[in-house]
Amino acid sequence: MLNRVILMGRLVSDPELKTTPSGASVTNFRIAVDRSYVKSGEERKTDFLDIVCWRQTAEFVCRYFGKGAMIAVEGQLQSRTYQAKDGTNRYVVEVVADNVSFTGERRENNYGNQSYGGNQSYGAPQSYGAPAPQSYAAPAQPQPSYQSGSADAFQDMPLDDDLPF
């Protein structure tokens, strides 16, 4: 059986990071996704879909995405029931995201800077700490480029050796 969902849309509101009693990070948010077809004489319709992200993916979404940001989501469609505060049973269908990505769209953030750059995918654990310190030694010599070189610039490989793979 197959249960995969890939969506791209805009966040309806800012995602809010929550923590479960066991310490897992989770966020729920809704995205607006335009339908691909329009009936003649009508406006394009939009679907509002609920998304759930867990752990590092939830932390990433809350850190880098806000209301109105375009987001690509990949995950599984899941349904569940729960009892509301008023005692009624509710049924919901939501996408549990395995992977979220930037869409490549650049937007101005509150400070006038360009925010996020393109097509990077973040579903696996990532390191979001400070960048590694860089040494300030003399710049390394540039590596030779073979784009305009001749065939003499390449080494011959011996054919009798075993390949390393």
Side-chain angles (χ1 to χ4, degrees), residues 13 15 37 50 55 62-63 74 76 85-86 91 97 113 131:
S13 61
Y37 61 92
D50 293 323
R55 296 171 190 75
C62 290
R63 184 171 182 181
E74 181 181 354
Q76 297 179 7
K85 292 179 181 178
D86 63 2
Y91 176 79
N113 299 327

Side-chain angles (χ1 to χ4, degrees), residues 121-148:
S121 181
Y122 297 90
Q126 299 290 325
S127 171
Y128 300 115
Q134 298 177 352
S135 69
Y136 293 101
Q141 295 296 326
Q143 294 294 324
S145 172
Y146 297 107
Q147 287 181 337
S148 60

Side-chain angles (χ1 to χ4, degrees), residues 44-59:
R44 182 176 303 273
K45 295 194 179 197
T46 302
D47 293 305
F48 296 89
L49 305 167
D50 293 323
I51 312 293
V52 178
C53 298
W54 291 91
R55 296 171 190 75
Q56 289 90 355
T57 306
E59 293 168 8

Side-chain angles (χ1 to χ4, degrees), residues 16-71:
E16 182 181 330
L17 189 64
K18 297 177 184 172
T19 306
T20 65
S22 64
S25 300
V26 64
T27 187
N28 297 35
F29 57 92
R30 184 171 284 179
I31 62 172
V33 179
D34 288 337
R35 293 188 183 175
S36 60
Y37 61 92
V38 180
K39 290 184 181 177
S40 61
E42 291 185 11
E43 289 186 27
R44 182 176 303 273
K45 295 194 179 197
T46 302
D47 293 305
F48 296 89
L49 305 167
D50 293 323
I51 312 293
V52 178
C53 298
W54 291 91
R55 296 171 190 75
Q56 289 90 355
T57 306
E59 293 168 8
F60 175 76
V61 167
C62 290
R63 184 171 182 181
Y64 292 106
F65 291 91
K67 180 179 179 178
M70 185 74 79
I71 188 171

